[in-house]
């Protein structure tokens, strides 16, 4: 399966305090000229802890492995006694490597990336990149998180083109370098078709200063999606936070912004337009 687009960013306030980190991706799984499927899951937040996993690359191995790891972490309370992010990342790293050992390598991509977001303490987030390369093997790296709202990583076949689009069209607009700007740029990039391996609805999860990871549904082309799954109307679907392409909080049944939610309209003039 062809690689795709995965991004993460940190949101900071005016006092340079880190308020949140986000992980986002598209939903396309593609097989080159053989076709693609735009409803594949790539983001996996914990139900109990401040931890999020996501991937770009080998969809079969990564989607199976990350769902298994999150289920293990939540069901077995694995992180109750593993508090230090480096230890947590090592645990995840070893699980991934051990599972990949017997995986038939002829079906694996030559490289893929897994991103892990977690929290050490309030205002103190951590991010790790776990990579496989057929040439170099496995590696794990802690990623730098800045003290201003900024991208942490842009990975996959569309990563560099996404960053270029944000820099050329969004960065110098009213959206600038903030959460709505980064997420709007992802929506814009998906619809641009600049990367054939990137498509389908965006996926999004967030980690705040306290509490477990937050699942976020997305409204894309007037449809509702949770991690690639199209969601019909339902009595309890607003139990999940829903956002549109500019991160306005939406009523999922009405498909419109809640009356008391902050309006975040697209800037009239975007750079490069």
């Amino acid at each position: 399966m062809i690689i795709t687009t995965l991004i993460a960013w940190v949101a900071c306030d005016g006092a340079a305090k880190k308020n949140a980190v986000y992980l986002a991706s598209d939903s396309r799984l593609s097989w080159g000229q053989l076709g693609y499927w735009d409803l594949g899951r790539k983001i996996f937040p914990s139900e109990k802890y401040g931890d999020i996993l996501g991937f770009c690359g080998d969809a079969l191995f990564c989607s199976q492995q990350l769902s298994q790891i999150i289920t293990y972490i939540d069901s077995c309370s694995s992180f109750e006694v593993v508090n230090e992010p480096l230890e947590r990342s090592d645990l995840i790293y070893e699980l991934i490597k051990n599972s990949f050992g017997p995986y038939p390598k002829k079906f694996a991509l030559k490289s893929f990336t897994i991103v892990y977001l977690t929290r050490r303490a309030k205002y103190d987030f951590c991010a790790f990149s776990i990579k496989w390369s057929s040439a170099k093997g496995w590696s794990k790296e802690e990623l730098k998180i800045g003290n201003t709202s900024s991208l942490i990583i842009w990975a996959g076949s569309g990563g560099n083109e996404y960053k270029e689009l944000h820099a050329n069209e969004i960065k110098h607009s009213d959206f600038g370098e903030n959460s709505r700007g980064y997420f709007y740029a992802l929506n814009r990039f998906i619809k641009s078709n600049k990367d054939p391996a990137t498509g389908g609805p965006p996926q999004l999860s967030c980690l705040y200063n306290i509490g477990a990871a937050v699942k976020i549904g997305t409204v894309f082309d007037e449809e509702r999606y949770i991690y690639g799954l199209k969601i019909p109307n339902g009595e309890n679907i607003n139990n999940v936070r829903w956002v549109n392409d500019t991160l306005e909080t939406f009523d999922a049944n009405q498909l419109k912004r809640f009356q008391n939610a902050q309006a975040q309209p697209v800037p009239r003039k975007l750079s490069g337009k």
Side-chain angles (χ1 to χ4, degrees), residues 174-212:
D174 293 342
F175 277 9
E177 294 178 290
N178 52 45
S179 293
R180 63 184 183 274
Y182 292 124
F183 190 61
Y184 179 69
L186 178 62
N187 280 263
R188 197 175 178 90
F189 180 65
I190 289 171
K191 293 182 178 181
S192 74
N193 296 314
K194 291 183 177 181
D195 175 37
T198 299
Q203 303 181 19
L204 182 65
S205 187
C206 175
L207 183 58
Y208 293 116
N209 276 304
I210 59 173

Side-chain angles (χ1 to χ4, degrees), residues 210-260:
I210 59 173
V214 178
K215 299 182 291 295
I216 302 175
T218 61
V219 177
F220 183 76
D221 286 342
E222 300 299 313
E223 298 283 356
R224 296 161 295 265
Y225 297 90
I226 295 180
Y227 304 126
L229 179 68
K230 185 183 288 188
I231 305 297
N233 278 336
E235 183 178 353
N236 297 314
I237 61 174
N238 280 322
N239 290 346
V240 172
R241 182 190 173 197
W242 295 86
V243 299
N244 68 348
D245 57 353
T246 65
L247 288 183
E248 292 178 328
T249 300
F250 256 44
D251 181 327
N253 280 312
Q254 300 297 320
L255 288 178
K256 64 181 182 181
R257 177 173 57 87
F258 279 113
Q259 187 173 1
N260 61 347

Side-chain angles (χ1 to χ4, degrees), residues 6-56:
L6 182 73
I7 61 170
W9 69 89
V10 59
C12 301
D13 63 18
K17 287 184 177 180
K18 302 177 180 73
N19 290 323
V21 287
Y22 291 81
L23 190 62
S25 76
D26 68 314
S27 296
R28 176 166 292 179
L29 307 182
S30 56
W31 295 264
Q33 296 181 348
L34 296 177
Y36 60 83
W37 184 51
D38 279 348
L39 301 175
R41 182 172 186 173
K42 301 179 182 180
I43 304 291
F44 300 83
S46 170
E47 296 275 355
K48 291 179 64 176
Y49 303 104
D51 300 278
I52 308 171
L53 288 164
F55 74 89
C56 58

Side-chain angles (χ1 to χ4, degrees), residues 4 12 20 33 46 50 69 72 81 91 97-98 114 147 165 182 185 223 231 237 253 270:
T4 180
C12 301
Q33 296 181 348
S46 170
I69 289 174
Y72 161 63
V81 294
L91 184 152
K97 288 196 301 179
N98 290 339
I114 293 168
N147 292 317
L165 182 148
Y182 292 124
E223 298 283 356
I231 305 297
I237 61 174
N253 280 312
L270 294 172

